[in-house]
């Protein structure tokens, strides 16, 4: 499947859908909106990011042979297939670092990206501890997930490791207790608590407070591990709730040697890695209620797939130019040739990896677009002089080819990548209170025209029938010292507070609202009129709904010298 073609079809369909109900009468506003949509207001250029390659670490078998792990881990942690076959497992270096941190007994946080095997980084130490000390001695580890879907996924992974290949039963027991279980399952868990309990923070709170689940707390005396998965989800008030929950768990379980473990893909992204470690450690210390040092914040260790290159090397730039300028040259399909391809090397340095200044540590590159003035293709064209459209085609072709070239060291594609397409439903157009040919237009919500504090910006709504624009406003009746003024409001907020009235401002210089009632009746629906004294008159019940003339300054204040508008009460 060509993901770029899929993206183009998706955006084309969405653009047709959006434009199908856009009805804007004013030619200037319509032109402005069309231009904004053309420039990607609702569907900006997609962001591309290569999934990095993690540096391989030690083999499980080697760690067990060296005495770092229990010998039983060699049988548990294997890559097991459905047909009963299995092969040994190799860890990433950050997973090995997590195992060593767990051995120290200090609380720690693993902050690595998606697909980096964060769950294994705490499951292996927990299982290793239970294999050393024996199963069936109560709950020794509680793993807290922010969503039941994550708990369900992890339960399935534990089944693969701890159940497959163990006909007589798993060497370490585990159960899921999230509130989704049947009455029978809950009774079983309470009667025979497992070694590892998978739950969520709401259910863990209930376990501490419900008399029925009190047996689980009693069987968790001396709790050894408390894991908070996806710690970045615990922010603000929820974060405070979870932090207090951790303290209550420690006290209720009499967990004097409790080791807290946190995982997250994104806890801090500002500053150097050392600064990020310090920031994450401070957050973890507050959540865990026990000190976490910066050295106990473990990050991912990355490595290049392609051969490194220097974009300042003229020979390399010439090779790039030749490689891309000739459309007949395609991306190599063998891994060794792929590694040496100059375009692939440049792409990994642009879309995949960057180096931290001072430490030369490899870090993930920020997602970037291929197209656009700051996109990868524009940078490539500036570097090589090749036409930008040709650069776009070459980059997309190399990405798609890289997905089909397997990396023999990891078994994953050489260039696994993500296309992040953001699609917005949009907001509205904002306009100043000025004549149609002069008013300021923007799609960025703000209170005043930039650089003009005397010109208010108000949101517009458009009639679905004729496309006429209306300012969406709230009228605030003034006092003796302050006159009546109009403010912006949300279209669906039609509450009328004391001294305020919701409505719309309307102006049509080409077809102004009549001053005399005789002209007004020609503009009204039949059910607004009645026969009176041989002619048509406006029904009394409808008169309060009639547009009311008002003159306003550009600041939205009543002004006898201002522009003429009509105020129409909402809805």
């Amino acid at each position: 499947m060509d993901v770029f073609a899929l993206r183009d079809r998706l955006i084309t369909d969405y653009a047709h859908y959006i434009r199908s109900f856009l009805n804007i009468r004013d030619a200037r506003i319509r032109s402005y909106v069309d231009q904004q949509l053309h420039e990607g207001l609702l569907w900006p250029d997609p962001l591309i990011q290569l999934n990095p390659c993690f540096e391989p670490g030690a083999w499980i078998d080697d760690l067990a042979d060296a005495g770092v792990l229990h010998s039983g881990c060699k049988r548990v942690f294997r890559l097991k297939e459905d047909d009963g076959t299995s092969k040994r497992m190799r860890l990433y270096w950050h997973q090995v670092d997590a195992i060593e941190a767990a051995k120290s007994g200090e609380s720690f946080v693993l902050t690595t990206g998606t697909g980096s095997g964060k769950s294994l980084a705490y499951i292996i130490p927990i299982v290793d501890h239970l294999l050393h000390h024996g199963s069936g001695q109560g709950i020794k580890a509680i793993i807290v997930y922010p969503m039941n879907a994550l708990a369900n996924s992890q339960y399935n992974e534990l089944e693969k490791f701890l159940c497959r290949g163990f006909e007589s039963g798993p060497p370490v027991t585990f159960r899921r207790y999230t509130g989704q279980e049947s009455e029978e399952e809950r009774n079983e868990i309470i009667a025979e608590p497992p070694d590892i309990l998978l739950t969520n923070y709401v259910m863990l709170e209930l376990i501490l407070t419900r008399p029925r689940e009190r047996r689980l707390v009693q069987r968790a005396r001396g709790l050894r591990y408390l894991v908070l998965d996806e710690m970045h989800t615990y922010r603000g008030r929820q974060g405070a709730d979870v932090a207090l929950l951790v303290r209550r768990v420690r006290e209720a379980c009499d967990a004097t040697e409790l080791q807290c473990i946190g995982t997250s893909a994104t806890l801090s992204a500002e500053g150097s890695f050392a600064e990020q470690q310090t920031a994450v450690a401070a957050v973890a210390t507050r959540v865990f209620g026990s000190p976490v040092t910066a050295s106990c914040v473990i990050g991912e260790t990355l490595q290049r797939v392609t051969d490194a290159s220097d974009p300042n090397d003229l020979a390399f730039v010439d090779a790039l130019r030749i490689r891309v300028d000739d459309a007949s040259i395609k991306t190599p399909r063998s891994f060794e040739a792929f590694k040496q391809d100059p375009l692939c090397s440049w792409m990994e340095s642009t879309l995949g990896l960057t180096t931290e200044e001072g430490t030369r540590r490899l870090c993930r590159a920020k997602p970037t677009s291929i197209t656009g003035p700051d996109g990868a293709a524009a940078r490539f064209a500036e570097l090589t002089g090749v036409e930008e459209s040709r650069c776009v085609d070459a980059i997309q072709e190399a990405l798609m080819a890289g997905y089909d070239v397997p990396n023999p060291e990891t078994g994953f594609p050489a260039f696994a990548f993500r296309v992040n397409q953001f699609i917005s439903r949009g907001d509205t157009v904002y306009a100043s209170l000025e004549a149609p040919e002069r008013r300021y237009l923007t799609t960025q919500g703000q209170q005043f025209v930039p650089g003009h504090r005397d010109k208010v910006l108000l949101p517009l709504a458009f009639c679905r029938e004729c496309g006429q624009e209306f300012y969406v406003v709230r009228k605030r009746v003034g006092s003796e010292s302050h006159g009546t003024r109009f403010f912006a409001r949300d279209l669906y907020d039609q509450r009328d507070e004391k001294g305020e009235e919701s409505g719309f401002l309307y102006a049509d210089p080409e077809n102004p609202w009549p001053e005399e009632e005789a002209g007004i009746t020609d503009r009204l629906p039949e059910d607004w009129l009645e026969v009176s004294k041989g002619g048509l008159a406006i029904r009394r019940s409808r008169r309060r709904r009639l547009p009311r003339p008002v003159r306003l300054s550009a600041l939205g204040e009543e002004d006898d010298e201002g522009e003429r508008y009509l105020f129409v009460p909402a809805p």
Side-chain angles (χ1 to χ4, degrees), residues 210-224:
R210 286 175 174 171
R212 182 188 177 202
E213 277 95 351
R214 200 64 189 172
R215 178 176 170 82
L216 289 175
V217 179
Q218 294 170 352
R219 292 300 306 275
R221 297 287 182 183
L223 182 70
R224 184 69 181 83

Side-chain angles (χ1 to χ4, degrees), residues 474-477 485 487 495-502 567:
R474 190 183 304 281
K475 177 183 177 182
R476 182 176 298 168
V477 179
R485 188 170 178 179
F487 297 86
R495 298 170 298 169
D496 286 342
E497 305 289 347
K498 184 178 180 181
E500 296 184 354
E501 185 178 9
S502 299
F567 177 72

Side-chain angles (χ1 to χ4, degrees), residues 184-480:
E184 182 181 357
E185 287 178 307
R186 289 197 291 271
N187 289 335
E188 289 177 0
I189 296 171
I190 293 172
E192 295 186 28
D195 301 317
I196 304 173
L197 187 69
L198 281 63
T199 187
N200 56 64
Y201 69 94
V202 175
M203 184 54 65
L204 183 55
E205 179 80 49
L206 295 175
I207 289 173
L208 296 180
T209 56
R210 286 175 174 171
R212 182 188 177 202
E213 277 95 351
R214 200 64 189 172
R215 178 176 170 82
L216 289 175
V217 179
Q218 294 170 352
R219 292 300 306 275
R221 297 287 182 183
L223 182 70
R224 184 69 181 83
Y225 298 99
L226 179 63
V227 179
L228 298 181
D229 195 54
E230 303 292 344
M231 276 185 64
H232 65 274
T233 60
Y234 303 128
R235 298 177 182 273
R237 187 185 70 179
Q238 188 183 63
D241 289 343
V242 171
L244 292 173
L245 176 61
V246 171
R247 289 156 174 79
R248 288 195 292 274
V249 169
R250 180 183 283 110
E251 181 179 0
C253 297
D254 193 23
T256 57
E257 297 183 3
L258 181 66
Q259 185 175 30
C260 294
I261 302 173
T263 73
S264 178
T266 52
L267 269 178
S268 177
E270 300 298 327
S272 66
F273 179 65
E275 292 170 336
Q276 293 174 22
Q277 285 180 298
T278 301
V280 171
V283 172
T285 296
R286 289 197 295 271
V287 174
F288 294 160
S290 58
V292 177
T293 62
S295 61
C296 288
V297 176
I298 301 168
E300 59 195 14
T301 306
L302 308 178
Q303 69 175 15
R304 290 187 65 93
V305 172
T306 64
D307 295 342
S309 55
D310 182 3
N312 297 317
D313 183 354
L314 295 180
F316 173 71
V317 175
D318 286 339
L320 269 180
R321 184 183 301 107
I322 295 170
R323 162 70 175 84
V324 173
D325 202 27
D326 187 350
S328 65
I329 301 177
K330 302 299 181 183
T331 304
R333 295 307 175 108
S334 72
F335 183 70
E336 287 303 319
F338 183 91
K339 287 175 54 179
Q340 300 170 17
D341 183 73
L343 174 59
C344 295
S345 175
W346 181 86
M347 286 171 55
E348 185 171 25
S349 299
T350 304
L351 303 174
L353 298 173
T354 184
T355 54
E356 184 179 85
E357 291 186 12
T359 65
R360 306 304 295 170
R361 174 188 175 88
L362 287 177
C363 307
R364 296 183 185 227
K366 292 183 178 180
T368 186
S369 62
I370 295 177
T371 55
D374 299 320
R379 282 186 268 170
F380 192 96
E382 182 179 2
L383 178 66
T384 63
V386 178
E387 188 174 346
E388 187 172 332
S389 61
R390 171 64 199 133
C391 297
V392 172
D393 293 340
I395 291 172
Q396 291 184 354
E397 187 274 332
L399 285 170
M400 294 299 299
Y403 191 77
D404 292 330
V405 176
N407 184 337
E409 189 173 343
T410 64
F412 296 114
F415 271 6
F417 66 97
R418 286 174 286 175
V419 179
N420 302 292
Q421 177 63 64
F422 297 93
I423 298 177
S424 170
R425 67 177 178 85
D427 186 8
T428 186
V429 178
Y430 296 80
S432 59
L433 283 170
E434 298 177 277
E437 68 276 6
R438 292 187 290 108
R439 59 186 165 190
Y440 180 85
L441 302 175
T442 180
T443 55
Q444 306 299 318
Q446 47 200 302
Q447 190 173 359
F448 300 102
V449 174
H452 296 275
R453 303 284 294 183
D454 59 342
K455 295 183 179 180
V456 70
L457 278 174
L458 300 172
L460 297 178
F462 300 89
C463 174
R464 291 185 182 274
E465 291 293 329
C466 69
Q468 174 65 44
E469 73 277 6
F470 293 82
Y471 293 95
V472 184
V473 297
R474 190 183 304 281
K475 177 183 177 182
R476 182 176 298 168
V477 179
S479 60
E480 292 183 2

